[in-house]
Amino acid sequence: MLGEYQLIKQIGKGSYGEVWLSKHQKDRRQYVLKKISLVNASQKERKSAEQECKLLSQLKHPNIVGYRDSFELEGILYIVMAYCEGGDVYTKLKEQKGVPLPERQIVEWFVQVAMALQYMHERNILHRDLKTQNIFLTRSKIIKVGDLGIARVLDSSNDMAKTLIGTPYYMSPELFSNKPYNHKILKGRTPDMPTQYSSELLELMRSMLNLSPEKRPSVNRILRDPFIRRSIQLFL
Ligand code: ADP
Ligand code: MG
């Protein structure tokens, strides 16, 4: 037992602690407990843990993992959130063993991630660690963006372009070069695109991978893209 929660099993190993499936004693429902150890944490790490809690508790969107509670116990911060039974997209893709997902599936997931980001960006919040490991699926296969561990509220004195943070494979070139926008353009080749997808989808992906940030579409622009609009119409 951990406060009002009964621990069931460990479902993840995070950078700052374990992620546990639990059951609430009273409502008998399952939740995820994310443990963040504060014992040996620096002031900065403490702040980032608090930030994750605060941001998650403020954000309410159908495609962002639901927050329930948080508490501190013996030097460990616990964040209690909705359990996404479908697991993370990284694991899901690994289970495909290289078999490409149908385009419809990709676009359905993509649109839901974009909607979560649109909601965050409207509030000047940057996720900063968007990747398949941090995108979860519910039992009914709804996308939930999670792990706001390094998310931040953007303000003018603290410009995003100045901070080197994130997961290498998923970082934008301008962050990788660790230079504020555009002083140096990294030379790189985008990996070959799979051939079975529509030219509209491939073109959209290519535009999002553009080396210069000002050429990449904003999330609002992505959601206004005619191909995306038509796809959304088709899902409904
Ligand atoms: P970290 O900041 O350490 O990366 P995450 O919040 O990403 O921590 O959690 C680590 C892993 O635990 C995730 O990649 C996922 O597999 C699992 N996980 C985390 N939260 C949930 C959740 N709400 N539902 C289901 N699985 C989760
Ligand atoms: Mg993570």
Side-chain angles (χ1 to χ4, degrees), residues 174-198:
E174 66 276 16
L175 287 182
F176 214 60
S177 66
N178 198 17
K179 287 261 197 299
Y181 293 122
N182 223 10
H183 287 179
K184 175 183 161 197
I185 295 172
L186 276 188
K187 289 205 175 69
R189 228 175 60 87
T190 38
D192 290 333
M193 299 281 187
T195 50
Q196 66 269 50
Y197 299 120
S198 69

Side-chain angles (χ1 to χ4, degrees), residues 1-2 35-39 71-78:
M1 285 301 296
L2 218 149
K35 293 170 77 169
I36 303 173
S37 173
L38 300 175
V39 181
F71 55 90
E72 210 180 309
L73 235 153
E74 293 163 356
I76 297 172
L77 174 70
Y78 295 87

Side-chain angles (χ1 to χ4, degrees), residues 53-121:
C53 246
K54 191 171 146 225
L55 285 180
L56 198 59
S57 68
Q58 289 168 352
L59 298 178
K60 284 189 197 336
H61 186 273
N63 300 117
I64 296 177
V65 67
Y67 168 91
R68 179 189 159 99
D69 192 13
S70 69
F71 55 90
E72 210 180 309
L73 235 153
E74 293 163 356
I76 297 172
L77 174 70
Y78 295 87
I79 303 179
V80 187
M81 58 189 144
Y83 174 40
C84 305
E85 286 168 297
D88 62 70
V89 171
Y90 178 84
T91 308
K92 206 93 213 158
L93 291 181
K94 251 187 32 197
E95 286 165 5
Q96 289 286 118
K97 297 197 159 65
V99 178
L101 292 171
E103 176 156 327
R104 188 192 161 99
Q105 178 73 94
I106 292 173
V107 178
E108 276 183 21
W109 287 353
F110 175 76
V111 165
Q112 294 176 69
V113 172
M115 293 198 295
L117 285 188
Q118 182 182 49
Y119 174 88
M120 290 177 75
H121 292 181

Side-chain angles (χ1 to χ4, degrees), residues 34 129 131 133-134 136 147:
K34 183 168 173 177
D129 201 15
K131 55 178 177 179
Q133 289 96 323
N134 292 336
F136 313 139
D147 193 359

